[in-house]
Amino acid sequence: MTEPVPPPGRTRWVAFAVLCSMQLMIVVDISIVTVALRSIQEDLGIDQARLAWVTNAYTLGFGGVLLLSGRLGDLVGRKRMFLIGLTTFTAASAFAGLAWNQEVLIAMRFIQGTGAGMAFAVVMGIIVTLFTDPRERGMAMGASGFAQAAGASFGIIAGGVLSHGISWHWVFYVNVPIGVVALYLAARLVPDDRGPGLGAGADVIGAALVTSALLLGVYTIATVPDYGWSSGHTLGFGGAAVALFIGFLIREATAAVPLVRLGVFRNRNLAGGNIVHLLFTASTVPFNILIALYLQQVVGHSPLSTAFAFLPLAVVSAICSLALFARLNMRYGPRTVLIGGLLLVVAGLALAARVPVDPVYVVDFLPVALLVGVGGGLVMPAVMMISMSVRSPDEVGLASGVAGTSGMIGDTLGIAALAAIATAHTNALIADGGEPVNALNEGFQLAFLITAGVTVLGLAVAVLVLRPQPAPPAGPPGPPPTGEEEHAAAGNRPAAHS
């Protein structure tokens, strides 16, 4: 693949700002509908069984195309794939806002997620080629990590403000003007790149297998409250999902031009980073959604007050990703920063497992928000930097697609599984004569405890699998690097701190 020539400094950062803003908007749309679901349900008459698919359809479309889109970006150009995905996302957002029944809304959410996945799959690849200097790349990864770490909480805030202040339609309409402006700027500012063309192969069969496996897996978990874990429905569809995924692995091991070259996972940091990413998103993204539901359904908050409750989490996450990560990364390396951030997130999620029915905000919620916000703001840029550890420029798109897919699988399966577990536990307590509000609260508490356990697994992988970073040199800051030194320092290895 012919790599683009990075534009001059100021133009490069403006182009990056466009990419980062779109990352944020795409991740925001995973959770933005959460606090608007009640209004959507009442307006469109969506039955309770289908309501979860307003969220699930987006994540399914998103996760299903990430690997294929990353590969296509390498073949036809990442900029072109980004523009196609962003156009699809923006158009589907407009039609989702216009939806007149549940079928149209769910279909548009799937298409919206598909466009989001196409754009998101290549963003990290573009960013890596924009920034070769370790300091600049650390700053860029911090900002990109902020977009992903804070996206879920900002989605809750935006959804609460828009659905309360205007109407639920605007949780979708808001994407349209932002998307149009981003399309114009990206077309002008993002450098062009050229790939070898579609003749090199895109492995559509592999993409179909992994997408079908994800679809059946999420459907199976989402319907557990209706059928039970040991039912023929659950075991049958779950077994089919596993079989399809095994078929995908066999296909990738034998295809002449695979969608995912399995040999890339011999890289411990890439493989371990993606496992950590999957486990982290499987715990924290569902946590953001479930804690918002807890505030509304148990505590009785309105969508607007729920949005204000999330402000501290979003603010500290932004500060840590944008202002703190780059400095800590240069001093200690991404692995150390990742482990420290995961410890903070585990502490916050463990505290969340104790939330009462009648919480005192500064005692029961604020410490949780601060710990998860600070930890998440450090974890996401660190894990994305580690997950992009590839040596060949031709594999940047693949690494970007794999990193996005691992996060999206975590999001999708985590949301479906934890919602199903919380609902099943609540229903069992009510069937045993428990008071509904207390039963609902205990269901959320169990889900939060599981998120803490999943994050502990991610912490164990980070400690045991990821390679330690070299110790930073001591002493005062050195002189600014020359052009040759900057070129030699390009990559993911830590540089001397300042």
Side-chain angles (χ1 to χ4, degrees), residues 102-491:
Q102 59 184 356
E103 289 79 14
V104 171
L105 178 59
I106 292 172
M108 288 302 105
R109 283 288 281 170
F110 181 81
I111 297 172
Q112 188 188 29
T114 300
M118 294 168 68
F120 194 88
V122 295
V123 165
M124 292 304 299
I126 298 174
I127 291 174
V128 167
T129 57
L130 282 177
F131 301 99
T132 56
D133 176 71
R135 294 174 186 271
E136 288 190 338
R137 183 175 288 181
M139 294 171 63
M141 287 293 183
S144 175
F146 154 73
Q148 298 177 63
S153 53
F154 270 101
I156 301 296
I157 295 170
V161 172
L162 291 171
S163 62
H164 179 86
I166 310 178
S167 74
W168 67 264
H169 300 273
W170 278 92
V171 303
F172 305 114
Y173 286 150
V174 70
N175 295 328
V176 178
I178 298 173
V180 170
V181 172
L183 277 168
Y184 172 77
L185 293 175
R188 290 174 57 89
L189 299 176
V190 173
D192 291 315
D193 57 335
R194 288 181 295 177
L198 292 176
D203 192 16
V204 176
I205 294 175
L209 286 170
V210 73
T211 302
S212 301
L214 180 61
L215 176 64
L216 281 181
V218 173
Y219 171 77
T220 300
I221 296 173
T223 55
V224 163
D226 299 322
Y227 295 95
W229 289 101
S230 60
S231 68
H233 179 278
T234 299
L235 295 176
F237 279 99
V242 172
L244 284 168
F245 186 73
I246 292 173
F248 166 72
L249 294 178
I250 294 172
R251 167 71 184 181
E252 300 314 289
T254 58
V257 184
L259 182 65
V260 178
R261 187 175 63 80
L262 298 182
V264 76
F265 293 105
R266 296 192 186 100
N267 182 325
R268 283 180 56 174
N269 277 0
L270 185 145
N274 276 283
I275 294 172
V276 175
H277 189 207
L278 187 152
L279 294 171
F280 178 72
T281 54
S283 60
T284 54
V285 173
F287 164 77
N288 277 277
I289 292 174
L290 292 175
I291 199 73
L293 294 175
Y294 156 80
L295 289 172
Q296 293 180 85
Q297 297 175 4
V298 176
V299 184
H301 281 353
S302 68
L304 189 60
S305 61
T306 299
F308 282 119
F310 266 81
L311 274 176
L313 194 159
V315 169
V316 297
S317 180
I319 292 172
C320 291
S321 293
L322 299 175
L324 188 58
F325 170 74
R327 293 184 179 183
L328 292 176
N329 178 60
M330 293 299 296
R331 185 178 181 93
Y332 301 108
R335 177 181 180 271
T336 301
V337 177
L338 173 64
I339 291 171
L342 287 170
L343 286 170
L344 293 175
V345 173
V346 169
L349 296 177
L351 283 179
R354 302 173 63 251
V355 289
V357 172
D358 52 349
V360 176
Y361 180 80
V362 296
V363 175
D364 298 306
F365 187 85
L366 186 59
V368 173
L370 294 177
L371 286 168
V372 174
V374 172
L378 296 176
V379 167
M380 190 57 76
V383 79
M384 290 306 295
M385 179 172 280
I386 293 170
S387 298
M388 293 295 294
S389 301
V390 291
R391 297 176 180 176
S392 171
D394 292 335
E395 292 182 335
V396 167
L398 169 62
S400 179
V402 170
T405 301
S406 65
M408 225 42 227
I409 290 174
D411 291 354
T412 307
L413 296 183
I415 292 169
L418 289 168
I421 290 170
T423 300
H425 187 62
T426 296
N427 291 341
L429 291 174
I430 292 175
D432 289 340
E435 201 276 325
V437 174
N438 289 330
L440 187 61
N441 187 61
E442 290 189 35
F444 284 123
Q445 287 178 331
L446 176 60
F448 298 149
L449 183 61
I450 293 173
T451 63
V454 171
T455 309
V456 168
L457 291 178
L459 177 61
V461 173
V463 172
L464 299 175
V465 176
L466 301 182
R467 294 186 183 277
Q469 304 296 312
T482 65
E484 292 181 359
E485 289 170 339
E486 286 183 349
H487 179 73

Side-chain angles (χ1 to χ4, degrees), residues 43-44 95-102 104-105 168:
D43 194 15
L44 298 183
F95 282 105
L98 292 169
W100 55 91
N101 60 40
Q102 59 184 356
V104 171
L105 178 59
W168 67 264

Side-chain angles (χ1 to χ4, degrees), residues 53 80 87 373:
W53 288 100
R80 180 180 298 179
T87 301

